[in-house]
Amino acid sequence: MNKIRFSFKLYLHYVSINVRSMMQYKTSFFLTALGQFMVSFNVFLGIFFMFMRFSSVEGFSYSEVLLCFAIILMEFSIAEMFARGFDCFSGVVRSGEFDRIMVRPQNEIIQVLGSKFELTRIGRMLQAVVMFVYGISKSDISWSFPKILTVIFMLIGGASVFFGLFLVYAALCFFTLDGLEFMNVFTDGAREFGKYPIGIYGEKVLLFTTFVIPYALIQYYPLLYLLGHRTSAFYIFLPLFACLFLVPTMLFWKFGVRHYASSGS
């Protein structure tokens, strides 16, 4: 317990260092955050213009799609904010910095997590919150405590899934030295195709996103419960099952650490 408490305090210390560093250049921080807001705003415009032509997509209305996209965008933004160190991990391996990390008496994951805290992603998060609030106001959702709990579980499960994907991306660097760009299909790509309910892409995609990379557990199934298309309380807890995705990704990370050979830098 003392070790966990110490690791948590150390991580908070890392975060405070990163935040203080960013606040030294406040103009740069606010412009970058604004840029993040505008990038996701362009995606919103794409959805808006499409619904000017069509009234629904596979039975989902404009406000329901916005609600769907807002949740997946919040999940991704939270994960990227905290796990940015893994997204930039290839440089750590190439420079030999990971050698230094390994000889320190602290968990490697905590050190990599603390190496980069991307607060500028708050701009993207703000865009997601705006869409979420609008989607709620225009959707006929009868809110209750179980549905509020469902949204909370969706954010926890979604952040966990994207965190696991960033972890896999970083672990691959132990074998390649450079990050493999195809992993963006599962991170940035998921954020893009996740702007619509995953069920609209067909049965095969739905099966893949249920049992392989559980995007559907953090987006499609709980969304059906929120919108009243499903009534079983089982759907409330599906996002928590998605957290189990962290188990194989952590094992793959440990496998990579065991097989790590210094880059020689």
Side-chain angles (χ1 to χ4, degrees):
M1 184 63 69
N2 289 334
K3 187 176 181 180
I4 294 175
R5 188 181 299 113
F6 176 77
S7 296
F8 182 68
K9 287 182 178 179
L10 179 62
Y11 177 69
L12 290 181
H13 181 62
Y14 281 141
V15 170
S16 68
I17 291 173
N18 276 276
V19 172
R20 288 200 302 269
S21 175
M22 284 184 283
M23 290 300 103
Q24 295 300 313
Y25 304 93
K26 293 182 177 64
T27 302
S28 175
F29 168 78
F30 287 115
L31 288 177
T32 304
L34 178 62
Q36 291 293 322
F37 180 91
M38 295 307 297
V39 167
S40 55
F41 184 71
N42 287 336
V43 180
F44 161 75
L45 287 179
I47 297 174
F48 175 76
F49 289 130
M50 192 198 72
F51 273 92
M52 289 182 67
R53 178 65 178 83
F54 304 100
S55 60
S56 65
V57 176
E58 293 290 330
F60 291 92
S61 67
Y62 173 60
S63 59
E64 292 172 344
V65 168
L66 276 189
L67 193 62
C68 170
F69 179 47
I71 290 174
I72 204 80
L73 186 59
M74 278 193 277
E75 295 167 347
F76 181 83
S77 300
I78 292 170
E80 193 179 31
M81 186 182 298
F82 288 95
R84 184 63 174 169
F86 289 109
D87 197 28
C88 306
F89 188 69
S90 58
V92 174
V93 174
R94 284 198 309 271
S95 66
E97 178 64 24
F98 193 70
D99 295 5
R100 194 180 308 177
I101 289 176
M102 290 190 69
V103 299
R104 292 171 181 162
Q106 188 52 253
N107 184 274
E108 297 93 356
I109 291 179
I110 293 294
Q111 295 185 65
V112 177
L113 274 176
S115 66
K116 190 77 172 176
F117 179 75
E118 199 62 74
L119 188 60
T120 55
R121 270 27 181 197
I122 199 170
R124 187 180 291 164
M125 175 69 79
L126 178 61
Q127 174 68 32
V129 170
V130 170
M131 287 192 296
F132 185 74
V133 171
Y134 180 82
I136 287 176
S137 66
K138 297 298 181 180
S139 299
D140 296 325
I141 298 178
S142 179
W143 286 98
S144 60
F145 178 74
K147 290 190 176 182
I148 294 173
L149 202 60
T150 302
V151 173
I152 295 172
F153 287 165
M154 289 173 78
L155 295 178
I156 294 173
S160 298
V161 169
F162 283 114
F163 177 85
L165 290 170
F166 284 126
L167 198 60
V168 170
Y169 175 82
L172 288 172
C173 296
F174 291 126
F175 307 99
T176 64
L177 293 184
D178 285 309
L180 299 179
E181 293 300 319
F182 83 88
M183 282 298 298
N184 290 332
V185 173
F186 302 107
T187 52
D188 295 308
R191 184 192 67 211
E192 290 302 312
F193 76 73
K195 62 190 176 185
Y196 299 107
I198 290 175
I200 73 171
Y201 297 110
E203 184 178 350
K204 291 182 179 179
V205 173
L206 188 59
L207 287 173
F208 178 83
T209 56
T210 299
F211 299 105
V212 183
I213 303 179
Y215 300 124
L217 301 186
I218 61 175
Q219 189 242 46
Y220 181 64
Y221 296 120
L223 183 69
L224 293 179
Y225 178 79
L226 287 179
L227 298 176
H229 298 173
R230 298 290 186 275
T231 57
S232 173
F234 178 69
Y235 286 81
I236 299 174
F237 301 99
L238 283 178
L240 295 184
F241 285 107
C243 295
L244 295 175
F245 182 68
L246 285 174
V247 175
T249 60
M250 291 284 287
L251 291 175
F252 184 61
W253 166 266
K254 290 182 179 295
F255 176 77
V257 171
R258 286 198 302 270
H259 291 79
Y260 168 69
S262 175
S263 65
S265 300

